[in-house]
Amino acid sequence: MTAQGLIGAQISMVFITAGLAGAMIAPSRCIATLPISMVTLGSALSARFLSGFMARNGRRAGFTLACIIAATGAAIAFIGLQTASFVLFTAGCTLIGAYMSAQGFHRFAAADTAPEALQPRMISLVQAGGLFSALAGPIMARTTAESSAVPFAMTFAAIIVLNMIGPLLYALLRIPVLPQASHSAAAPSGRSLRQLLRTPEIAVAMICAMVAYALMNLVMTSTPLAMVGCGYDTGDAANVVSAHIVAMFAPAFFTGHLITRFGARRVVAAGLLILAVAGGVALTGVELDRFYLALILLGVGWNFGFIGATAMLTAAHRPEERGRIQGVNDAVVFGGVFLASLSSGGLMGCAGGTAQAGWSAVNMAMVPFLILAGSALIWLTLRPRETR
């Protein structure tokens, strides 16, 4: 939970500043958010590797490795800003994605040693650690953004420091390496990856998690560019993103209780509905209070959708199958986030030519994906009982 809050602050720092930094040095405004997109691609590409590495060597070793990779990436991004190299800056952001991927495994680590009945609450509690990152990340971003001759360079220097603290925190982690399943006939290793992916509960959980995370990222990535384009300053954008991140993690203190009481599917459904309302609010105007309300609803919707989908996934596979499915799940989720983030820059930079038109296009793009996730959830719920 401490690592989620402190080391995880780097993710909000990147999402607040990387798009603005990209717009400063990118050859075209249409690819200004590419560095943010590459963070999510780096996360997707490293998910299966980190999942397998943790299964063999333990969570602590995997989290430490991710911090080392992310620190290297932040150093490269720092050099890219100093030399006005968009290529170097983007490459560095890609490596930072390794920590974003590892942070996603915090929720699974919380469930590793918890009784099944307590797993939703443990997952939710660890996600609540992000509340600190919601406060610390934007403050550090605002403090460091203009603190050197090269805008945003010191932000990435601070990210290097955060990743150096990471291994010290993870050294205190006490999760044993779970025994690897044997492949002998006497001790079967569980279902194959193909069988797992064909399990309806797992497939729908992955779809809902991907849609909730991807749509949240699509809108959040666009927010700083949209706000600055509509006449607000960087401080206003940081405050709105900060409120959004608080809304992402504050509900986690009780999301687990809601899942236990009402069931994961209903919580996911509520999350998708709130995401739809967030998009509707954003389409009503570009006043400052509309940005605040839309982004707060976006955060709550992500919380219910993503944590609920995670609870669905953990309930649908056995411990010996976790290394096989968790990495694939996060690769799919962050692959969707990458595509959403990549689309965000194109929609903002190229749709209609104005920030307001781009902002509207971004929020309209949510509709088909909400329909996809909602339809999958309804299908799962209405399946005949004997086939479940």
Side-chain angles (χ1 to χ4, degrees):
M1 185 174 177
T2 303
Q4 182 86 0
L6 180 59
I7 316 304
Q10 66 182 290
I11 303 302
S12 59
M13 293 168 71
V14 171
F15 277 93
I16 290 170
T17 62
L20 297 172
M24 183 177 68
I25 60 175
S28 168
R29 184 175 176 81
C30 290
I31 59 171
T33 62
L34 181 61
I36 299 178
S37 302
M38 296 307 291
V39 173
T40 57
L41 179 62
S43 180
L45 294 176
S46 58
R48 285 197 72 180
F49 165 74
L50 285 174
S51 179
F53 185 86
M54 290 180 187
R56 294 187 300 272
N57 302 286
R59 298 290 190 188
R60 179 168 55 190
F63 292 143
T64 300
L65 176 62
C67 284
I68 294 171
I69 296 172
T72 303
I76 294 172
F78 176 83
I79 295 171
L81 288 172
Q82 293 286 354
T83 59
S85 171
F86 185 70
V87 173
L88 272 181
F89 180 66
T90 303
C93 288
T94 305
L95 292 179
I96 293 175
Y99 181 79
M100 184 177 178
S101 177
Q103 181 173 261
F105 288 105
H106 286 170
R107 68 196 197 279
F108 293 126
D112 281 348
T113 57
E116 185 175 348
L118 293 179
Q119 286 181 356
R121 295 184 184 182
M122 294 302 295
I123 292 168
S124 184
L125 184 60
V126 166
Q127 291 295 99
L131 184 59
F132 180 81
S133 69
L135 301 174
I139 290 173
M140 287 191 280
R142 284 195 298 269
T143 303
T144 58
E146 305 292 337
S147 62
S148 66
V150 178
F152 310 113
M154 294 309 296
T155 303
F156 287 84
I159 292 174
I160 297 173
V161 175
L162 287 177
N163 281 296
M164 291 174 66
I165 296 172
L168 302 178
L169 279 179
Y170 291 125
L172 304 175
L173 192 62
R174 294 292 181 267
I175 297 178
V177 180
L178 297 185
Q180 293 295 293
S182 168
H183 293 276
S184 67
S189 61
R191 292 166 289 179
S192 67
L193 178 59
R194 182 176 180 181
Q195 290 173 317
L196 289 166
L197 292 176
R198 293 179 66 181
T199 302
E201 290 79 4
I202 290 177
V204 173
M206 290 173 65
I207 290 171
C208 291
M210 178 189 67
V211 168
Y213 214 133
L215 294 185
M216 181 278 293
N217 186 270
L218 172 73
V219 178
M220 184 180 70
T221 300
S222 305
T223 299
L225 288 174
M227 292 188 66
V228 171
C230 290
Y232 301 104
D233 60 31
T234 304
D236 289 325
N239 288 336
V240 168
V241 172
S242 179
H244 163 70
I245 300 174
V246 169
M248 285 174 63
F249 295 108
F253 287 106
F254 56 82
T255 306
H257 296 279
L258 294 177
I259 292 171
T260 301
R261 180 172 181 180
F262 298 107
R265 295 181 193 178
R266 291 181 180 178
V267 172
V268 172
L272 296 175
L273 179 61
I274 295 170
L275 287 172
V277 174
V281 170
L283 289 170
T284 62
V286 292
E287 291 79 13
L288 188 59
D289 61 341
R290 306 295 173 86
F291 277 110
Y292 270 108
L293 181 56
L295 269 291
I296 288 170
L297 289 171
L298 186 76
V300 176
W302 171 85
N303 182 283
F304 285 6
F306 186 63
I307 294 180
T310 299
M312 288 175 61
L313 183 75
T314 56
H317 69 79
R318 298 190 289 271
E320 65 268 22
E321 297 165 344
R322 67 172 192 171
R324 196 170 298 142
I325 191 61
Q326 289 176 4
V328 173
N329 174 75
D330 279 15
V332 170
V333 169
F334 289 115
V337 172
F338 164 69
L339 294 176
S341 181
L342 194 63
S343 302
S344 177
L347 290 169
M348 280 302 304
C350 306
T354 67
Q356 186 169 353
W359 180 239
S360 296
V362 164
N363 286 280
M364 285 298 297
M366 297 174 68
V367 174
F369 299 99
L370 287 170
I371 292 174
L372 168 65
S375 299
L377 198 60
I378 292 170
W379 169 79
L380 181 64
T381 302
L382 296 181
R383 290 177 71 236
R385 184 175 299 274
E386 62 270 16
T387 65
R388 293 181 188 175

